[in-house]
Amino acid sequence: MIGTGYGGSVAALRLAQAGIDVHMVEMGMSWDTPGSDGKIFANTKSPDDRSFWLRTRTKQPLSSFLGFPIDKNVNRYTGILDAEDFAGITVYQGRGVGGGSLVNGGMAVTPQRDRFSGILPSVDAAEMYSKYYPRANAGLGVADVPLDWWESAACYKYARVGRKHAERSNFPHIFVPNVYDWDYMAQEAAGNATKSALDGEVIFGNNHGKKTLPKTYLAQAKATGRVAISPLHEVTSVSPASGGGYTVAIRQLDTTGGTVATKTVTADRVFFAAGSVGTSKLLVKLRATGALPNLNGEVGKGWGDNGNVMCGRANHMWDPTGTVQSAMPSTGIDNWNAGGAFAEVAPVPTGIETYASLYLSITNTPHRAEFSWNAAAGKAELSWQRAWKETSIGMAKTIFDKINKKEGTIYRTDFFGGTKQWNDSLTYHPLGGAVLNKATDNYGRLHGYAGLYVIDGSLIPGNTSVNPFVTITALAERNIEKIIATDL
Ligand code: FAD
C-alpha cells in the first residue's frame, strides 16, 4: 500500500479483515511523539519546523493579515503540511500516517445524490447511497452538528453571521457534518478540556478532538495484527518482478528529507494510495521511464482543483465574528445549481476580532490539467494554468457579489498578499490523474497490469461538488469490496 490517507486506510483495513497481510509505506512521519513543547502538533497561529514539508519558509494559505505578510523562516523538516508548488498552482496536502486527515478541516460532506452522476458517471449511485456512503460515514465517525449548542456557542458566532448573510440574500444555507468530536468541543468551550479546535488548531494538526484516520480506520486496521506501517519511507518505483508480483523500490528518509537507505521489496499486489498528486506523479514517471510502459494514455489526465477559491468579506462593526472561532467549519452556502458554487463558511482563528467572514468555495469549474514526465528535469509537471481560476471566481461571485450588495459590504484585501481579493493560487482538494474507468477499470484496477490498483482521490475526475474525503472513502469501500471478492 503506497500511502496512508483515506483510500489507503480503507483498503488496508478491509484487506486485513479478509486475512491478507498488508504493508503500508508512508513518506511522512508517524506523528505520535510530542515535541519539546509537549505537543505533537504545532498551532496554526505559531507555525514551526513541524508545520511544513521540507520548506525553509512557511507558505500560509492566508499569506497576510491586516495587510502584513505573515510567512517566516523555519528549518527544513518533514513537517505535516506540504505546500507543493507546480507552475500554475500550489497544492496543499497532508504528510504523515493518516494523510490529509491530519491537516484537514474535518468537514465530512456527502454530495447531493442528484449531482453524483456528474462526479462518477460509471458508478452505480443507488449502491453508493444505500451502502458505501453510509459505511464510509460510519467508519470515519462523522457526526452532525448539535444544533442547540451551536446556536449559542461563542465559537460559532462567525458561522451564524455567515448564515444570516446567506439567508438575507436568499441562498440555501446548510449545516455540514464533521469528524471532530462535538462533545469534546463543547467541553473546550465550557473550559473543561484542553483546547484544540478552539485554540485554532487545524492545518498543522489537532492535538485533541479530531477523529483522524489513525484513530478510526488505521486503529482498526492495526488491531487486526495484519497491518505494518513504515513511516518516513517513500516509494520511488514499482515494476513487474521476474518471478511474478512487483518489485517496489523505497527510499527511507531522515527528517531533513535526506536519504537514509534505499530498499526493495516484492509484493503480490500494489495499491497506489499516495493521493491524487502522489499517485499521478508516480504513475506518469513509471510509464515514461519504462518501469510500467503498458499504463494507458489516460494516466496523468483528468486532474482538477475541485474549483477551490478563497475570499474574505469585510463586515460592518455591528457584525463582529468573534474572538474565539472554532477551527472546524460547520456550515456552507449552496448555490451549486444556480451559480456553480458551494462555499464553506471558514474561520479566521486569530484570537482577536477581525470583523471578517472568510469563505472557501468549491466551484463547478470545467478546467482539467494533465501530469506529464519531464525527462530532462527529472520530475513530473502539471499543466494547470493560473488564469483558469477566473472561471471559479466568477462562480463564487454569484454568491458573494450578491451578499456584498445586499449588506453594503466589500471584499477584504488584506489576506492574500498585496491587495488581492481572491486567493486564486491554491487547492486543498486535488482530485484525478488516474480516473476511474479510464486509466483504470470501473473498480480501480490499472489497465495494463494485473495486481496494480489505484484507490485514492486520483480516481475522481477533478471535482466532487463538495469537500472530497467522504466520497474518496466511500469509493474506496466500494472498490476494495469488489477487489477482495473477485481478485484475491
Ligand atoms: P491523502 O490523504 O493525501 O493520502 C496520501 C498519502 O500518501 C499521504 O500521507 C502522503 O504523504 C503519502 N504519499 C504520497 N506519495 C507517497 C510515496 N511516493 N510514497 C509513500 N507515501 C506517499 N477534505 C474534506 O473532505 N473536508 C475538509 O474539511 C478538508 N479540509 C482540508 C484542509 C486542508 C488544509 C487540506 C490540505 C485538505 C483538506 N481536505 C478536506 C482534502 C482531503 O484531506 C483530501 O481530499 C484527502 O486527504 C485525500 O485523500 P487520499 O486518500 O486521496 O490521499
Side-chain angles (χ1 to χ4, degrees):
M1 192 72 57
I2 309 172
T4 58
Y6 291 91
S9 298
V10 169
L13 171 62
R14 301 307 176 203
L15 287 165
Q17 287 173 332
I20 296 154
D21 291 328
V22 181
H23 193 144
M24 304 183 84
V25 183
E26 168 57 54
M27 68 194 277
M29 305 203 307
S30 55
W31 299 107
D32 51 10
T33 313
S36 56
D37 60 354
K39 294 185 172 177
I40 292 177
F41 303 112
N43 195 284
T44 310
K45 289 173 278 188
S46 48
D48 60 28
D49 297 353
R50 289 170 292 188
S51 302
F52 283 87
W53 177 258
L54 303 180
R55 293 188 88 91
T56 51
R57 190 162 174 80
T58 64
K59 187 156 187 172
Q60 298 259 36
L62 295 190
S63 61
S64 61
F65 180 57
L66 304 176
F68 294 103
I70 55 175
D71 282 314
K72 66 175 193 184
N73 293 339
V74 287
N75 292 311
R76 191 179 149 87
Y77 189 69
T78 46
I80 198 161
L81 184 64
D82 194 351
E84 188 170 0
D85 291 320
F86 293 96
I89 193 165
T90 300
V91 185
Y92 284 85
Q93 299 152 86
R95 292 272 173 258
V97 174
S101 78
L102 299 170
V103 299
N104 66 36
M107 293 178 78
V109 199
T110 299
Q112 279 191 22
R113 181 161 169 183
D114 58 0
R115 294 175 196 161
F116 186 81
S117 63
I119 302 168
L120 289 162
S122 63
V123 173
D124 179 353
E127 213 181 37
M128 286 296 285
Y129 282 78
S130 65
K131 198 171 178 186
Y132 301 111
Y133 273 115
R135 190 177 290 176
N137 278 296
L140 294 166
V142 175
D144 289 333
V145 186
L147 293 183
D148 286 354
W149 174 77
W150 183 92
E151 287 291 353
S152 60
C155 62
Y156 280 118
K157 190 172 179 55
Y158 75 94
R160 293 193 296 276
V161 169
R163 175 181 61 182
K164 181 174 83 178
H165 292 167
E167 289 181 346
R168 280 162 52 93
S169 287
N170 296 319
F171 289 117
H173 165 272
I174 61 161
F175 285 98
V176 174
N178 205 291
V179 294
Y180 202 87
D181 181 338
W182 294 109
D183 290 334
Y184 189 86
M185 200 189 294
Q187 292 301 314
E188 291 178 51
N192 298 330
T194 308
K195 288 187 172 49
S196 181
L198 268 53
D199 193 25
E201 290 183 355
V202 54
I203 60 172
F204 307 136
N206 279 86
N207 286 296
H208 306 278
K210 193 160 78 175
K211 287 171 270 176
T212 58
L213 290 167
K215 294 183 181 162
T216 56
Y217 276 98
L218 283 173
Q220 276 195 58
K222 278 194 197 160
T224 64
R226 290 194 175 275
V227 176
I229 305 180
S230 297
L232 287 175
H233 282 68
E234 179 188 16
V235 171
T236 54
S237 180
V238 177
S239 54
S242 49
Y246 292 90
T247 302
V248 181
I250 300 171
R251 181 174 83 94
Q252 185 178 1
L253 287 71
D254 65 25
T255 55
T256 64
T259 303
V260 176
T262 52
K263 308 172 180 181
T264 54
V265 295
T266 308
D268 294 336
R269 294 181 169 77
V270 178
F271 287 79
F272 289 81
S276 162
V277 174
T279 292
S280 304
K281 284 196 309 185
L282 257 178
L283 291 177
V284 296
K285 173 174 118 177
L286 299 179
R287 182 182 57 192
T289 55
L292 297 174
N294 299 338
L295 293 175
N296 75 15
E298 292 290 337
V299 164
K301 290 188 177 156
W303 186 88
D305 66 340
N306 213 20
N308 281 186
V309 281
M310 270 193 275
C311 68
R313 290 183 39 255
N315 291 307
H316 295 295
M317 297 297 271
W318 57 81
D319 270 334
T321 47
T323 55
V324 177
Q325 303 194 1
S326 171
M328 299 294 131
S330 59
T331 57
I333 304 168
D334 190 348
N335 196 37
W336 191 263
N337 288 343
F342 170 80
E344 68 181 61
V345 180
V348 191
T350 56
I352 60 169
E353 179 57 59
T354 61
Y355 299 96
S357 288
L358 183 72
Y359 306 91
L360 174 70
S361 295
I362 293 162
T363 62
N364 196 5
T365 173
H367 300 294
R368 298 292 181 270
E370 181 175 353
F371 281 94
S372 57
W373 181 248
N374 180 334
K379 64 175 188 180
E381 291 177 343
L382 180 64
S383 66
W384 185 266
Q385 294 176 33
R386 172 76 62 89
W388 290 349
K389 288 280 194 187
E390 290 303 321
T391 315
S392 293
I393 291 172
M395 290 172 170
K397 278 184 167 177
T398 65
I399 299 176
F400 301 111
D401 277 2
K402 188 171 173 194
I403 291 181
N404 275 338
K405 193 165 174 221
K406 173 82 183 166
E407 302 301 326
T409 51
I410 56 169
Y411 290 101
R412 295 277 291 227
T413 54
D414 57 340
F415 286 146
F416 310 120
T419 55
K420 281 171 74 105
Q421 294 182 343
W422 293 88
N423 188 328
D424 61 354
S425 60
L426 66 75
T427 184
Y428 288 158
H429 300 162
L431 293 166
V435 170
L436 189 81
N437 219 23
K438 290 187 171 175
T440 74
D441 77 352
N442 203 24
Y443 291 90
R445 302 175 181 100
L446 271 164
H447 289 305
Y449 295 93
L452 292 189
Y453 306 89
V454 174
I455 193 144
D456 59 18
S458 37
L459 293 171
I460 299 172
N463 206 296
T464 52
S465 79
V466 290
N467 314 62
F469 75 61
V470 175
T471 297
I472 294 170
T473 305
L475 186 66
E477 289 280 19
R478 167 194 180 267
N479 292 355
I480 198 68
E481 187 177 84
K482 177 65 121 192
I483 289 164
I484 289 170
T486 55
D487 297 15
L488 302 170

